[in-house]
Every structure is written in structure tokens, then in C-alpha cells.
Amino acid sequence: MEPTETFESLVRAEFTPKSIYLNTASNGLLPARTVAALQEAALMRAEGRPLTPLYEDVESSRAAFARLAGVPVTRVAAGASVAAHTGVIAASLPAGAEVLTAEDDFTSVLNAFHVRGDLKVRTVPLERIAESVRPGTALVAVSAAQSADGRIADLTALREAARAHGARTYVDFSQAAGWLPVEADAYDFTASVSFKWLLGPHGAAFLTVPEDFGGLTPLLAGWVAAERPWDSCYGPVAELARSARRFDLTHALFTFAGLRRSLELIEELGVDAVHAHDVALADRFRAGLAGLGHEPVPAPGSAIVSVPALGSRQAGLSEAGIEVSDRAGNLRAAFHLYNTAADVDRLLEALAG
């Protein structure tokens, strides 16, 4: 079978949306295999069966994300949110350290640095973030793809500038992992939630760290962060995990039961194929917008398209069965593997009406 046929048949088998769903930047749809795994996990709890397989799902999910991110599994921590991971990174910085961030980046990437109160947080336009790294910059924190409008950071320029000035890098791949190739090894720290382009349930977020842990202290560590978790349920943890698992947060077991299957699907399809599919649809939408006299926020190569001044159309589009987002007055459409050219054309027709 041809690769395109394999891609399409897998997608058709896993997704049956009841709307034209163009809102993955908010929440990805759950594959059928993931829904089945969630149902089975709930039955296990309801029937009092041993939950051992659910802990195995956590480790399988960690390993799958490690492959996706291109790092050894020993560098991947499993937590609950990007905000929590950012908090651990923020806590590691000395008082007075300079953190360079992008204007209007997603709050979970930024807020922990601000609430410290004793850090120098400097904010610049996304397009200037690489050139704004300077001697004395301790950390650069940025999203790979901006949540509001899909703009993609120049990560190559960023890591080169950071390396030149001795700054660490922290990249949030929440709006990228699953459709944009991730090279986590190129940065000191990365994070990503699971419920958007990775098609998982809410309640899981991964953190990647250097082999030496990058100076992070596992402030949020509980028993699951121990080298021998089941022997560490009482009293202080005697020995933290020798891997990034020392930064784990208590696992939402149902979430990982489903996420394991979602990540399996992403691997079966291949990120390169998903990327080509998603960006082709986004480009089709951009071309159609030009024909309607609308100019989206420039975000070449992104699967997210944001159109100024059209955010007010969101409610009407939802009533018509087309799901998009209103972000700061802009209409945001996000294209993923379950979308088709017909979906794009239907949105354009609705906007023309």
C-alpha cells in the first residue's frame, strides 16, 4: 500500500469528528484506540483489578516521547503541566539572573519567572529574540510555535546565539510536538503538553533535561521520583531517581493509559508525514484567504493560521459546525492529521458568506 493510502486509512480508522474541527491548537481529538484505552482503565478501577498495567503505560509513554524528541529516555520527565516544569526551571536560577522571553508568549512559559520577583525578565518581539541574547543572559525561554498565531521561532539562530553567550535554552514544544520535528537534544530544557498535537488526554506534560540535569533541583518530587518508588512511599526519599524521572510528578494514570496509544499512532504515521499534511492544509487556507482579501499573521511553514479582525466570527462558525478559536480578536485555525482539503474549503466558503 502507498504511504498516502496508509496515512489516510489509519486516520479514517481512528477519527470520526462530528464537526469540521480546526482547533487542535486548543485541544487535539482523541483517536479511537485512545478512547478504548481510557474506557478500559476506568473499568479496571471500577472492578478493582490490579493497576500495574497503568504504570507500565507511563513508562511506554515516556519512551515514545523520548523517541519523538530525539533524546535518551533517561532525559525525559513525566509531569502534569508546562507551568510546573517552568516553575522548577525558574527556581534553579540565582537571584538577579536575566531571562529573555518573547512578547505575548504563552503564560505557562513565562509566569514562573515573573513571580520569582528577583529575576530580570527581559521581553522582546519573537523575531528579535536570537539577536537579543547578550552577555549576562542566563536563560532564553520561548515557545517553538506561538499559541496565539502560529509563528515559528528561529530556533537555529536562537541556540547559536545562546551558545555564543553562554545562555541556557528552554523551549516549549506544546504547539509543535506532533507536527513539527522536535530536536530536544539541541536545547538545555524542553517541555510539551500532551493534549494538543500529540492527541492525548489532559493531565500529562513532558520535560527534557541535560544528562547532568542542568542544575535543576527536584522541588516537586514525591515518591514516584525515587530510584525505587515503591520502597519510597514513607518518609523522605532516600535516593532520587538517577534519571530525569527524579523530576516526575505523581502520574495521572488514566491519562497515560490513553496517551500511550496516541503516541503509538503518531509514530505509525510519522511526524514528517503529519508535518507535510498539516502545513499543506494551512497553506491552502492562506491562499484562499488572499482570494477573500484577508491577510493572516505571517507564519510561514506553520500549521496554525491566525487572521486579524475575524475573531468575532468564531461563535457563528461554531454554530455552523466549524470549530476554530478567537484569540485576541484574531480567528485562529489549526490544521492536523484528521483535517482535509474539504474542511479548508468549507471554512473559506463560510468566511466568504
Side-chain angles (χ1 to χ4, degrees):
M1 186 158 45
E2 293 297 321
T4 300
E5 293 174 338
T6 303
F7 186 99
E8 292 177 354
S9 61
L10 273 173
V11 171
R12 283 196 302 270
E14 295 289 347
F15 298 99
T16 53
K18 302 301 182 185
S19 64
I20 295 175
Y21 190 81
L22 303 171
N23 202 20
T24 298
S26 293
N27 303 281
L29 298 182
L30 295 177
R33 67 180 71 182
T34 301
V35 174
L38 290 169
Q39 291 172 331
E40 177 62 17
L43 281 174
M44 290 171 69
R45 279 286 302 279
E47 297 171 357
R49 285 184 271 153
L51 300 183
T52 304
L54 302 187
Y55 290 96
E56 294 170 358
D57 289 334
V58 176
E59 297 313 314
S60 293
S61 295
R62 189 195 314 271
F65 185 82
R67 291 190 295 271
L68 184 74
V71 295
V73 69
T74 53
R75 290 180 54 186
V76 177
S81 70
V82 167
H85 294 321
T86 304
V88 171
I89 294 170
S92 74
L93 298 173
E98 178 181 279
V99 181
L100 180 63
T101 64
E103 286 181 353
D104 298 322
D105 208 334
F106 197 73
T107 302
S108 295
V109 186
L110 307 175
N111 205 51
F113 302 113
H114 287 271
V115 300
R116 267 280 304 260
D118 60 355
L119 299 176
K120 298 175 183 177
V121 183
R122 188 159 58 98
T123 303
V124 300
L126 179 68
E127 293 75 17
R128 289 179 46 209
I129 197 162
E131 67 186 59
S132 299
V133 183
R134 63 189 182 188
T137 300
L139 178 75
V140 187
V142 69
S143 294
Q146 291 291 298
S147 172
D149 51 35
R151 288 176 298 151
I152 300 174
D154 187 345
L155 295 178
T156 300
L158 173 62
R159 63 179 178 251
E160 290 176 354
R163 187 179 300 115
H165 293 289
R168 290 188 179 274
T169 49
Y170 172 41
V171 181
D172 176 19
F173 280 96
S174 293
Q175 293 289 7
W179 72 269
L180 189 69
V182 175
E183 297 177 348
D185 193 48
Y187 315 99
D188 295 284
F189 312 108
T190 76
S192 179
V193 296
S194 67
F195 63 87
K196 297 180 186 291
W197 308 88
L198 294 178
L199 309 174
H202 283 73
F206 294 102
L207 170 72
T208 70
V209 300
E211 292 287 355
D212 64 359
F213 308 134
L216 300 187
T217 298
L219 297 173
L220 306 180
W223 69 281
V224 298
E227 178 63 21
R228 295 177 299 279
W230 292 106
D231 295 331
S232 304
C233 296
Y234 307 105
V237 173
E239 182 185 9
L240 288 165
R242 297 163 198 162
S243 68
R245 194 167 52 75
R246 63 174 50 198
F247 302 106
D248 274 22
L249 298 183
T250 301
H251 308 128
L253 295 179
F254 287 8
T255 292
F256 284 97
L259 180 57
R260 175 181 183 174
R261 278 68 184 182
S262 296
L263 293 174
E264 286 173 354
L265 176 61
I266 294 291
E267 286 196 277
E268 288 173 27
L269 293 169
V271 172
D272 289 343
V274 175
H275 176 269
H277 175 89
D278 292 7
V279 174
L281 294 179
D283 287 346
R284 184 185 184 95
F285 183 49
R286 291 185 181 96
L289 285 169
L292 297 178
H294 298 297
E295 184 175 350
V297 174
S302 181
I304 302 171
V305 182
S306 183
V307 193
L310 290 185
S312 60
R313 299 288 301 273
Q314 182 269 329
L317 289 168
S318 182
E319 291 176 1
I322 303 173
E323 297 301 332
V324 293
S325 291
D326 176 3
R327 289 293 181 270
N330 298 344
L331 182 147
R332 185 187 68 183
F335 302 91
H336 205 16
L337 55 92
Y338 33 68
N339 297 130
T340 66
D343 293 342
V344 177
D345 296 344
R346 179 68 187 90
L347 175 56
L348 289 168
E349 290 169 6
L351 291 174

